[in-house]
Amino acid sequence: MGEVNSYEELRRKQVEENKRKLEEFGLHHLSAAVREASAKPKPLKRKAPPRDIADLGPPRRSGRIATLPEQPDYRDNVTLGTVKSQKQKEVKPDHAYAISKAEELQDELGSDHPTFVKPMTQSLSPLYIPVQFSMEHLPDRDTRLALVDEEEEEFRILYRPHSSSFNAGWRDFAEDHELVDGDCLVFQLVKKKLFKVYIFRASSYYDSDNSDDSDN
């Protein structure tokens, strides 16, 4: 019996010693704070009210897009007498002269009928025309078109949309009008399948005052 009382006495002293150490370190206060924090409900987050689409205003457009011309330019991306890029060669004076005359006429023709300028190359067939012009103004299937020159003579050609080109019949037109590298043409779509064609010769450069100016 005496041994049991001695054990209980030692156990009681050990428990009191442990409580004293806990109080010294303040651990019981820390535990109470943790329990209190976990017991408090978390505040609910308030959702922002949905914004009305009308309040967002018109979408912003980049300055580059905003300054694009309203009417497309079908001049076949020709730069007169200048180097458009490092890969593009400078246009010869007689070629540039024909192009400038063609573009002057294009401006005079106005916008009642769509037009495009096409300089000639050494290859006579097929004739590739501006893709944008084809997409906007010509049929989306193989079609027979008519070309009428300034003498009102008509030529029938085959237009192929997949390559945006004039094929069968175009060589006959080119050879009949003796087109050569450097000549420049203006095509005016006066009807759905009818082009009026104006020809400007590169050789005209040497018949003009420009030839005399270049020799000085």
Side-chain angles (χ1 to χ4, degrees), residues 59-70:
R60 296 181 60 186
R61 302 178 62 190
S62 68
R64 183 182 65 83
I65 295 178
T67 56
L68 289 178
E70 294 183 0

Side-chain angles (χ1 to χ4, degrees), residues 1 23 40 42 64 74 82 88 105 110 114 130 141 156 162 171 182 190-191 196 199 205-206 210:
M1 187 66 180
E23 290 177 356
K40 290 183 179 180
K42 295 183 179 179
R64 183 182 65 83
Y74 301 119
T82 60
Q88 182 178 9
L105 175 63
R141 61 183 180 279
R156 306 291 293 183
H162 72 278
R171 177 177 287 275
V190 294
K191 293 183 180 180
K196 182 74 174 180
I199 301 173
Y205 173 80
Y206 301 101
N210 294 289

